[in-house]
Amino acid sequence: MATITYLPMNVTCEALVGDNILEVALANGIDLQHNCGGVCACSTCHVILKQGLNSLTEMEDDEADQLDEAEGLTLESRLGCQAKITKDIDLIVRIPQLNPEIAHLFHEGAKKEEV
């Protein structure tokens, strides 16, 4: 069995080969946005792999195209909905923090915080 540790909340969850990073997050109450419902039509489930990048399925062209829209893109970036686990290994994933001025736009029903 694999594990995924989600940063910055530092929560570790068990995962199976074939699961994707988004599915595991949602099953464990991790707030990983997914505006398109996990069908590779947006970049809101963008994550950055700190460990275990090579234990995921290869990136396809659709994912690469969507990642171009992600804020804070790195060479270790993936879309959580497309990154499926291929090996029983421990992964560490950082969820980029959104600009607080626009974060409310990515949470259904949330309102902008008054400053």
PDB file of all heavy atoms in Angstrom, residues 3-7 10 12 21 47-53 55 76 89-95:
ATOM      1  N   THR A   3       1.306   5.543   0.502  1.00  0.00           N
ATOM      2  CA  THR A   3       0.767   6.637   1.305  1.00  0.00           C
ATOM      3  C   THR A   3       1.020   7.942   0.559  1.00  0.00           C
ATOM      4  O   THR A   3       1.955   8.051  -0.233  1.00  0.00           O
ATOM      5  CB  THR A   3       1.406   6.740   2.708  1.00  0.00           C
ATOM      6  OG1 THR A   3       2.784   7.073   2.567  1.00  0.00           O
ATOM      7  CG2 THR A   3       1.227   5.471   3.512  1.00  0.00           C
ATOM      8  N   ILE A   4       0.140   8.900   0.813  1.00  0.00           N
ATOM      9  CA  ILE A   4       0.329  10.251   0.294  1.00  0.00           C
ATOM     10  C   ILE A   4       0.270  11.201   1.474  1.00  0.00           C
ATOM     11  O   ILE A   4      -0.703  11.193   2.235  1.00  0.00           O
ATOM     12  CB  ILE A   4      -0.760  10.651  -0.724  1.00  0.00           C
ATOM     13  CG1 ILE A   4      -0.828   9.655  -1.885  1.00  0.00           C
ATOM     14  CG2 ILE A   4      -0.501  12.068  -1.236  1.00  0.00           C
ATOM     15  CD1 ILE A   4      -1.964   9.940  -2.869  1.00  0.00           C
ATOM     16  N   THR A   5       1.308  11.995   1.648  1.00  0.00           N
ATOM     17  CA  THR A   5       1.312  13.047   2.663  1.00  0.00           C
ATOM     18  C   THR A   5       1.033  14.356   1.955  1.00  0.00           C
ATOM     19  O   THR A   5       1.733  14.723   1.007  1.00  0.00           O
ATOM     20  CB  THR A   5       2.659  13.117   3.402  1.00  0.00           C
ATOM     21  OG1 THR A   5       2.884  11.859   4.052  1.00  0.00           O
ATOM     22  CG2 THR A   5       2.662  14.232   4.439  1.00  0.00           C
ATOM     23  N   TYR A   6      -0.017  15.028   2.412  1.00  0.00           N
ATOM     24  CA  TYR A   6      -0.431  16.304   1.822  1.00  0.00           C
ATOM     25  C   TYR A   6       0.105  17.448   2.671  1.00  0.00           C
ATOM     26  O   TYR A   6      -0.140  17.495   3.880  1.00  0.00           O
ATOM     27  CB  TYR A   6      -1.964  16.381   1.747  1.00  0.00           C
ATOM     28  CG  TYR A   6      -2.556  15.385   0.780  1.00  0.00           C
ATOM     29  CD1 TYR A   6      -2.911  14.109   1.195  1.00  0.00           C
ATOM     30  CD2 TYR A   6      -2.753  15.721  -0.553  1.00  0.00           C
ATOM     31  CE1 TYR A   6      -3.454  13.193   0.310  1.00  0.00           C
ATOM     32  CE2 TYR A   6      -3.292  14.805  -1.443  1.00  0.00           C
ATOM     33  CZ  TYR A   6      -3.647  13.553  -1.010  1.00  0.00           C
ATOM     34  OH  TYR A   6      -4.174  12.634  -1.889  1.00  0.00           O
ATOM     35  N   LEU A   7       0.831  18.335   2.019  1.00  0.00           N
ATOM     36  CA  LEU A   7       1.362  19.528   2.660  1.00  0.00           C
ATOM     37  C   LEU A   7       0.582  20.733   2.140  1.00  0.00           C
ATOM     38  O   LEU A   7       0.115  20.707   1.006  1.00  0.00           O
ATOM     39  CB  LEU A   7       2.851  19.694   2.330  1.00  0.00           C
ATOM     40  CG  LEU A   7       3.771  18.518   2.703  1.00  0.00           C
ATOM     41  CD1 LEU A   7       5.181  18.794   2.186  1.00  0.00           C
ATOM     42  CD2 LEU A   7       3.768  18.260   4.187  1.00  0.00           C
ATOM     43  N   ASN A  10       0.124  18.533   6.394  1.00  0.00           N
ATOM     44  CA  ASN A  10       0.886  17.420   6.948  1.00  0.00           C
ATOM     45  C   ASN A  10      -0.008  16.257   7.373  1.00  0.00           C
ATOM     46  O   ASN A  10       0.140  15.708   8.458  1.00  0.00           O
ATOM     47  CB  ASN A  10       1.787  17.877   8.094  1.00  0.00           C
ATOM     48  CG  ASN A  10       2.938  16.913   8.311  1.00  0.00           C
ATOM     49  OD1 ASN A  10       3.400  16.270   7.374  1.00  0.00           O
ATOM     50  ND2 ASN A  10       3.396  16.812   9.545  1.00  0.00           N
ATOM     51  N   THR A  12      -1.230  12.404   6.348  1.00  0.00           N
ATOM     52  CA  THR A  12      -0.841  11.236   5.560  1.00  0.00           C
ATOM     53  C   THR A  12      -2.033  10.300   5.422  1.00  0.00           C
ATOM     54  O   THR A  12      -2.712   9.994   6.406  1.00  0.00           O
ATOM     55  CB  THR A  12       0.336  10.506   6.225  1.00  0.00           C
ATOM     56  OG1 THR A  12       1.440  11.419   6.315  1.00  0.00           O
ATOM     57  CG2 THR A  12       0.758   9.292   5.420  1.00  0.00           C
ATOM     58  N   ILE A  21      -4.300  11.168  -7.062  1.00  0.00           N
ATOM     59  CA  ILE A  21      -4.045  12.055  -5.924  1.00  0.00           C
ATOM     60  C   ILE A  21      -5.302  12.782  -5.484  1.00  0.00           C
ATOM     61  O   ILE A  21      -5.547  12.943  -4.285  1.00  0.00           O
ATOM     62  CB  ILE A  21      -2.911  13.042  -6.271  1.00  0.00           C
ATOM     63  CG1 ILE A  21      -1.590  12.273  -6.380  1.00  0.00           C
ATOM     64  CG2 ILE A  21      -2.810  14.171  -5.263  1.00  0.00           C
ATOM     65  CD1 ILE A  21      -0.442  13.084  -6.941  1.00  0.00           C
ATOM     66  N   VAL A  47      -1.006  20.131  -8.076  1.00  0.00           N
ATOM     67  CA  VAL A  47      -0.184  19.800  -6.914  1.00  0.00           C
ATOM     68  C   VAL A  47       1.275  19.754  -7.348  1.00  0.00           C
ATOM     69  O   VAL A  47       1.579  19.639  -8.534  1.00  0.00           O
ATOM     70  CB  VAL A  47      -0.580  18.443  -6.279  1.00  0.00           C
ATOM     71  CG1 VAL A  47      -1.992  18.500  -5.714  1.00  0.00           C
ATOM     72  CG2 VAL A  47      -0.436  17.301  -7.265  1.00  0.00           C
ATOM     73  N   ILE A  48       2.153  19.835  -6.367  1.00  0.00           N
ATOM     74  CA  ILE A  48       3.588  19.758  -6.619  1.00  0.00           C
ATOM     75  C   ILE A  48       4.137  18.566  -5.846  1.00  0.00           C
ATOM     76  O   ILE A  48       3.969  18.486  -4.626  1.00  0.00           O
ATOM     77  CB  ILE A  48       4.294  21.062  -6.203  1.00  0.00           C
ATOM     78  CG1 ILE A  48       3.720  22.237  -7.001  1.00  0.00           C
ATOM     79  CG2 ILE A  48       5.804  20.939  -6.396  1.00  0.00           C
ATOM     80  CD1 ILE A  48       4.138  23.594  -6.501  1.00  0.00           C
ATOM     81  N   LEU A  49       4.756  17.623  -6.569  1.00  0.00           N
ATOM     82  CA  LEU A  49       5.297  16.419  -5.944  1.00  0.00           C
ATOM     83  C   LEU A  49       6.644  16.723  -5.322  1.00  0.00           C
ATOM     84  O   LEU A  49       7.562  17.183  -5.987  1.00  0.00           O
ATOM     85  CB  LEU A  49       5.456  15.313  -6.976  1.00  0.00           C
ATOM     86  CG  LEU A  49       4.248  14.428  -7.232  1.00  0.00           C
ATOM     87  CD1 LEU A  49       3.966  13.536  -6.068  1.00  0.00           C
ATOM     88  CD2 LEU A  49       3.038  15.184  -7.655  1.00  0.00           C
ATOM     89  N   LYS A  50       6.754  16.490  -4.031  1.00  0.00           N
ATOM     90  CA  LYS A  50       8.020  16.642  -3.319  1.00  0.00           C
ATOM     91  C   LYS A  50       8.756  15.317  -3.229  1.00  0.00           C
ATOM     92  O   LYS A  50       9.956  15.278  -3.012  1.00  0.00           O
ATOM     93  CB  LYS A  50       7.770  17.191  -1.908  1.00  0.00           C
ATOM     94  CG  LYS A  50       7.131  18.566  -1.906  1.00  0.00           C
ATOM     95  CD  LYS A  50       7.924  19.516  -2.745  1.00  0.00           C
ATOM     96  CE  LYS A  50       8.070  20.861  -2.168  1.00  0.00           C
ATOM     97  NZ  LYS A  50       8.931  21.712  -2.996  1.00  0.00           N
ATOM     98  N   GLN A  51       8.002  14.217  -3.366  1.00  0.00           N
ATOM     99  CA  GLN A  51       8.583  12.870  -3.337  1.00  0.00           C
ATOM    100  C   GLN A  51       7.638  11.941  -4.075  1.00  0.00           C
ATOM    101  O   GLN A  51       6.425  12.021  -3.894  1.00  0.00           O
ATOM    102  CB  GLN A  51       8.733  12.402  -1.890  1.00  0.00           C
ATOM    103  CG  GLN A  51       9.278  10.999  -1.725  1.00  0.00           C
ATOM    104  CD  GLN A  51       9.384  10.631  -0.256  1.00  0.00           C
ATOM    105  OE1 GLN A  51      10.026  11.318   0.530  1.00  0.00           O
ATOM    106  NE2 GLN A  51       8.749   9.539   0.116  1.00  0.00           N
ATOM    107  N   GLY A  52       8.190  11.081  -4.917  1.00  0.00           N
ATOM    108  CA  GLY A  52       7.392  10.044  -5.561  1.00  0.00           C
ATOM    109  C   GLY A  52       6.902  10.358  -6.960  1.00  0.00           C
ATOM    110  O   GLY A  52       6.054   9.638  -7.490  1.00  0.00           O
ATOM    111  N   LEU A  53       7.422  11.385  -7.590  1.00  0.00           N
ATOM    112  CA  LEU A  53       6.974  11.759  -8.934  1.00  0.00           C
ATOM    113  C   LEU A  53       7.075  10.585  -9.910  1.00  0.00           C
ATOM    114  O   LEU A  53       6.195  10.374 -10.740  1.00  0.00           O
ATOM    115  CB  LEU A  53       7.785  12.952  -9.447  1.00  0.00           C
ATOM    116  CG  LEU A  53       7.394  13.506 -10.814  1.00  0.00           C
ATOM    117  CD1 LEU A  53       5.976  14.054 -10.796  1.00  0.00           C
ATOM    118  CD2 LEU A  53       8.376  14.589 -11.241  1.00  0.00           C
ATOM    119  N   SER A  55       6.604   7.541  -9.385  1.00  0.00           N
ATOM    120  CA  SER A  55       5.683   6.444  -9.088  1.00  0.00           C
ATOM    121  C   SER A  55       4.277   6.728  -9.602  1.00  0.00           C
ATOM    122  O   SER A  55       3.323   6.056  -9.233  1.00  0.00           O
ATOM    123  CB  SER A  55       5.641   6.183  -7.582  1.00  0.00           C
ATOM    124  OG  SER A  55       5.029   7.270  -6.918  1.00  0.00           O
ATOM    125  N   GLU A  76       7.868  19.693 -11.162  1.00  0.00           N
ATOM    126  CA  GLU A  76       7.280  18.580 -10.405  1.00  0.00           C
ATOM    127  C   GLU A  76       5.768  18.719 -10.281  1.00  0.00           C
ATOM    128  O   GLU A  76       5.137  18.051  -9.473  1.00  0.00           O
ATOM    129  CB  GLU A  76       7.901  18.505  -9.001  1.00  0.00           C
ATOM    130  CG  GLU A  76       9.361  18.106  -8.994  1.00  0.00           C
ATOM    131  CD  GLU A  76      10.297  19.261  -9.338  1.00  0.00           C
ATOM    132  OE1 GLU A  76       9.938  20.423  -9.072  1.00  0.00           O
ATOM    133  OE2 GLU A  76      11.378  19.006  -9.891  1.00  0.00           O
ATOM    134  N   ILE A  89       4.474   3.102  -2.914  1.00  0.00           N
ATOM    135  CA  ILE A  89       5.565   3.959  -2.457  1.00  0.00           C
ATOM    136  C   ILE A  89       4.948   5.145  -1.718  1.00  0.00           C
ATOM    137  O   ILE A  89       3.769   5.443  -1.876  1.00  0.00           O
ATOM    138  CB  ILE A  89       6.425   4.422  -3.659  1.00  0.00           C
ATOM    139  CG1 ILE A  89       7.758   4.990  -3.184  1.00  0.00           C
ATOM    140  CG2 ILE A  89       5.684   5.368  -4.547  1.00  0.00           C
ATOM    141  CD1 ILE A  89       8.775   5.159  -4.303  1.00  0.00           C
ATOM    142  N   ASP A  90       5.732   5.809  -0.906  1.00  0.00           N
ATOM    143  CA  ASP A  90       5.239   6.970  -0.170  1.00  0.00           C
ATOM    144  C   ASP A  90       5.457   8.232  -0.992  1.00  0.00           C
ATOM    145  O   ASP A  90       6.569   8.501  -1.447  1.00  0.00           O
ATOM    146  CB  ASP A  90       5.952   7.086   1.182  1.00  0.00           C
ATOM    147  CG  ASP A  90       5.681   5.885   2.072  1.00  0.00           C
ATOM    148  OD1 ASP A  90       4.615   5.252   1.907  1.00  0.00           O
ATOM    149  OD2 ASP A  90       6.523   5.570   2.917  1.00  0.00           O
ATOM    150  N   LEU A  91       4.381   8.989  -1.171  1.00  0.00           N
ATOM    151  CA  LEU A  91       4.432  10.243  -1.913  1.00  0.00           C
ATOM    152  C   LEU A  91       4.272  11.406  -0.950  1.00  0.00           C
ATOM    153  O   LEU A  91       3.584  11.286   0.072  1.00  0.00           O
ATOM    154  CB  LEU A  91       3.303  10.317  -2.946  1.00  0.00           C
ATOM    155  CG  LEU A  91       3.372   9.343  -4.103  1.00  0.00           C
ATOM    156  CD1 LEU A  91       2.599   8.092  -3.778  1.00  0.00           C
ATOM    157  CD2 LEU A  91       2.807  10.001  -5.332  1.00  0.00           C
ATOM    158  N   ILE A  92       4.885  12.519  -1.296  1.00  0.00           N
ATOM    159  CA  ILE A  92       4.672  13.770  -0.579  1.00  0.00           C
ATOM    160  C   ILE A  92       4.224  14.798  -1.608  1.00  0.00           C
ATOM    161  O   ILE A  92       4.899  15.003  -2.620  1.00  0.00           O
ATOM    162  CB  ILE A  92       5.932  14.248   0.164  1.00  0.00           C
ATOM    163  CG1 ILE A  92       6.367  13.194   1.185  1.00  0.00           C
ATOM    164  CG2 ILE A  92       5.678  15.596   0.843  1.00  0.00           C
ATOM    165  CD1 ILE A  92       7.672  13.510   1.896  1.00  0.00           C
ATOM    166  N   VAL A  93       3.075  15.394  -1.347  1.00  0.00           N
ATOM    167  CA  VAL A  93       2.433  16.302  -2.287  1.00  0.00           C
ATOM    168  C   VAL A  93       2.191  17.638  -1.601  1.00  0.00           C
ATOM    169  O   VAL A  93       1.652  17.681  -0.497  1.00  0.00           O
ATOM    170  CB  VAL A  93       1.072  15.712  -2.739  1.00  0.00           C
ATOM    171  CG1 VAL A  93       0.287  16.694  -3.577  1.00  0.00           C
ATOM    172  CG2 VAL A  93       1.273  14.403  -3.471  1.00  0.00           C
ATOM    173  N   ARG A  94       2.590  18.727  -2.256  1.00  0.00           N
ATOM    174  CA  ARG A  94       2.280  20.052  -1.724  1.00  0.00           C
ATOM    175  C   ARG A  94       1.139  20.642  -2.539  1.00  0.00           C
ATOM    176  O   ARG A  94       1.181  20.665  -3.763  1.00  0.00           O
ATOM    177  CB  ARG A  94       3.487  20.985  -1.787  1.00  0.00           C
ATOM    178  CG  ARG A  94       3.207  22.339  -1.112  1.00  0.00           C
ATOM    179  CD  ARG A  94       4.452  23.185  -0.938  1.00  0.00           C
ATOM    180  NE  ARG A  94       5.048  23.631  -2.179  1.00  0.00           N
ATOM    181  CZ  ARG A  94       4.595  24.665  -2.899  1.00  0.00           C
ATOM    182  NH1 ARG A  94       3.541  25.339  -2.513  1.00  0.00           N
ATOM    183  NH2 ARG A  94       5.217  25.006  -4.009  1.00  0.00           N
ATOM    184  N   ILE A  95       0.115  21.093  -1.838  1.00  0.00           N
ATOM    185  CA  ILE A  95      -1.001  21.787  -2.470  1.00  0.00           C
ATOM    186  C   ILE A  95      -0.670  23.268  -2.438  1.00  0.00           C
ATOM    187  O   ILE A  95      -0.571  23.853  -1.360  1.00  0.00           O
ATOM    188  CB  ILE A  95      -2.327  21.510  -1.728  1.00  0.00           C
ATOM    189  CG1 ILE A  95      -2.622  20.002  -1.724  1.00  0.00           C
ATOM    190  CG2 ILE A  95      -3.460  22.303  -2.369  1.00  0.00           C
ATOM    191  CD1 ILE A  95      -3.804  19.606  -0.878  1.00  0.00           C
TER     192      ILE A  95
END
